[in-house]
Amino acid sequence: MNTQGRAGEEQAARFLTARGWRILEKNYAAPCGEIDLIALDGKTLVFVEVKARAYSAFGGPLAAVTPAKQRRIAQTAALYVAGKRLKFDSIRFDVVCILPDKTELISHAFTPPRTTL
């Protein structure tokens, strides 16, 4: 991971923590993929993809979360849930988009296929 990516993930973790979220994992890796941040937002387990960009051209950070990337995140999330004994009421997939002049949370950024979770 490059320096911009690491800095973006740290910025996203601070951004979410300031909103009362509890960060459970950073850079959770499994054979099928990696999840930047895993957090609890109240009783919701949230899998967060962080996209930091120097500019918003070509669709900005959110455009980089392709359907293939979403599938890998969902598969990794399923492994995480299966391997942990956590109490939560629901699961959500969010994206934190970071540009030089703003940080934005896209809640419910995508819904994985029903067969994943």
Side-chain angles (χ1 to χ4, degrees), residues 18-56:
R19 285 164 173 65
W21 293 30
R22 191 170 118 221
I23 304 298
L24 302 176
E25 303 269 353
K26 293 180 181 179
N27 300 307
Y28 176 80
C32 52
E34 182 258 340
I35 298 174
D36 296 328
L37 299 171
I38 301 172
L40 281 173
D41 176 16
K43 292 186 177 187
T44 301
L45 182 62
V46 187
F47 297 95
V48 182
E49 178 68 9
V50 178
K51 288 297 179 192
R53 296 290 185 265
Y55 49 87
S56 61

Side-chain angles (χ1 to χ4, degrees), residues 51-65 95 97-99:
K51 288 297 179 192
R53 296 290 185 265
Y55 49 87
S56 61
F58 308 109
L62 188 58
V65 186
V95 176
C97 299
I98 299 173
L99 291 166

Side-chain angles (χ1 to χ4, degrees), residues 1 7 9 13 17 19 21 32-33 35-36 39 43 47 57 64 66 72 77 88-89 91 95 103 107 109 117:
M1 175 185 305
E9 288 177 6
T17 301
R19 285 164 173 65
W21 293 30
C32 52
I35 298 174
D36 296 328
K43 292 186 177 187
F47 297 95
T66 64
R72 286 192 303 273
F88 56 88
D89 290 344
I91 293 175
V95 176
T103 300
S107 186
L117 287 174

Side-chain angles (χ1 to χ4, degrees), residues 79-100:
L79 290 174
Y80 180 83
V81 169
K84 301 287 182 176
R85 293 182 181 215
L86 294 172
K87 293 189 183 233
F88 56 88
D89 290 344
S90 59
I91 293 175
R92 193 172 75 224
F93 293 86
D94 292 358
V95 176
V96 173
C97 299
I98 299 173
L99 291 166

